[in-house]
Amino acid sequence: MTGPPRSGSASRHLLAAAGLALVVASCASAGRLPTLGSGPISRDEVFAAEEAYERGLGRFQAGDYAGALEDFATIVERYPSSENSALALYWQARSLYQLGRDSLAVPAFERYLALAPDLPNQEHAILLLANSRFNTGDFDRSLNAALEVRDASDALLPGFLGLAGDLVDKLPREQVLRGAQLDPPRDWMAPFYLQAARWSSADGNRRQAQQLADKVLAFAGLPADLRAEANAIRTGHAGSMGLRIGVIMPGEGRFAEVGEAIRRGVALALDEINRGRSSPYQLVTRTTVTDADSTVAMVRALARGDGVQAILGPITSEFALPAGEAARQEGVTLISPTATDARMLEIGPNVLTVNALDGAIGHTIGTYAATNLGRKRFAILAVDNAYGRIQADAFAQAVQAAGATIVARQTY
């Protein structure tokens, strides 16, 4: 799925480039700003501050953000009464942001934005403050900062849309839904409206889905792909855009070979199904991560960022259980091809596994061996993990229920 640049480190250079055109405007409007200090300043200090400011702008434009930070910090700290001290604070914050020092950029942007109600580069400062908060994991305050802007300018709309898309991926469903209901509507909040519309459509609430889609369509300047999806939801033809299926499989480790085989099988089946279809099904593949929280985040990103309607995987119960709960919350179907934990079926009607549940294999083998084959004495050799213990227990229970005896049990 294509879209505007996101708010993380990958977009820092894009935002830096977008801001270079503001340098001249900054200089032209410097006289409207208060200074950071009110004390006296000598003629030599005025010249030193001006020299540092011009040098800092040049370094920033050349991509020397560390050098620019040094110059602007000098003005803010040593020459707070100089004419360009407020703008130096803005560029100090910008330099910190470009260097990835978000925790320090946040208070610098906050200080700048508190100087006056109407500031040069105010919209850009708000976007970068919101991005910095996002990058430090403060998603709630990131959204609150961005909400200071109603309709983004053409130059910064892609940046705001990218931030909104990132927030939709990170915020809880309830908060995304609340965001989609905020008034007045904002053009850059389109990812919130679309995600809420997807959820409403999946829940069968077509009227609400249409109302949310209308919020997107009200802004003619939004990217064509966002408007196209909104129009499909609005007219009830969202399915005509093609079903998107997510696949979560391991890329390394002892299950990597199994995961690759499943991926290839799904791709082959999809190729056959898509023959002759005007709107082919699309596959979105992700590699399993090594902890439950990251798996949940991956399910959420597939459902929200990639817009999948169904997810195949993960293959182990350890990850399939939290993934299933996340899928239930997101309103998408999740099918694990190999998970065996019976709790999978307790999550919800759209969370499934196609494998035999825990103990079923051991119970079936034990019953067949004791009943059909007539054996009476058994030894158990089982792998030493949760799966092995569950199957061994089920086997033991089955043969004992049939009147047979377990004479030895060993793990490896």
Side-chain angles (χ1 to χ4, degrees), residues 273-297:
I273 293 172
N274 280 336
R275 289 173 189 164
R277 288 184 59 87
S278 58
S279 299
Y281 297 133
Q282 303 172 48
L283 211 57
V284 183
T285 303
R286 295 288 182 268
T287 300
T288 303
V289 285
T290 56
D291 63 274
D293 289 342
S294 297
T295 302
V296 168

Side-chain angles (χ1 to χ4, degrees), residues 65-130:
Y65 304 121
L69 175 61
E70 181 181 348
D71 288 325
F72 295 129
T74 296
I75 300 169
V76 171
E77 296 167 9
R78 294 179 57 184
Y79 310 119
S81 298
S82 63
E83 182 181 13
N84 289 327
S85 59
L87 281 174
L89 174 62
Y90 165 77
W91 288 106
Q92 179 187 33
R94 284 284 306 274
S95 300
L96 288 166
Y97 177 82
Q98 294 302 139
L99 290 168
R101 298 166 66 178
D102 296 289
S103 61
L104 295 176
V106 166
F109 280 123
E110 289 175 336
R111 184 184 177 190
Y112 175 72
L113 290 168
L115 289 175
D118 184 19
L119 296 162
N121 310 324
Q122 183 167 331
E123 181 189 13
H124 206 233
I126 290 172
L127 174 59
L128 297 185
L129 170 60

Side-chain angles (χ1 to χ4, degrees), residues 22 123-124 149-160 187-188:
L22 301 174
E123 181 189 13
H124 206 233
V149 173
R150 178 169 178 179
D151 291 333
S153 64
D154 290 345
L156 296 181
L157 179 58
F160 275 99
D187 54 1
W188 61 268

Side-chain angles (χ1 to χ4, degrees), residues 139-140 142-144 146-147 160-182 186-200 212-213 215-216 226 304:
F139 306 131
D140 291 347
S142 173
L143 176 59
N144 288 338
L147 286 173
F160 275 99
L161 287 171
L163 172 66
D166 282 338
L167 287 169
V168 164
D169 288 348
K170 295 293 185 181
L171 292 172
R173 176 170 175 161
E174 295 75 15
Q175 195 164 352
V176 174
L177 292 173
R178 286 197 300 272
Q181 298 300 327
L182 290 175
R186 296 163 171 82
D187 54 1
W188 61 268
M189 288 282 283
F192 280 74
Y193 308 143
L194 272 181
Q195 184 57 57
R198 294 184 196 118
W199 282 327
S200 295
L212 289 161
K215 288 189 174 184
V216 178
L226 299 183
R304 302 184 188 186

Side-chain angles (χ1 to χ4, degrees), residues 25 59 63 81 124 168 184 186 208 240 271 273 299 322 332 334 363 370 395 408:
R59 285 176 166 178
S81 298
H124 206 233
V168 164
R186 296 163 171 82
Q208 187 174 61
S240 65
D271 285 343
I273 293 172
V299 170
V332 300
L334 183 139
H363 186 275
F395 180 89

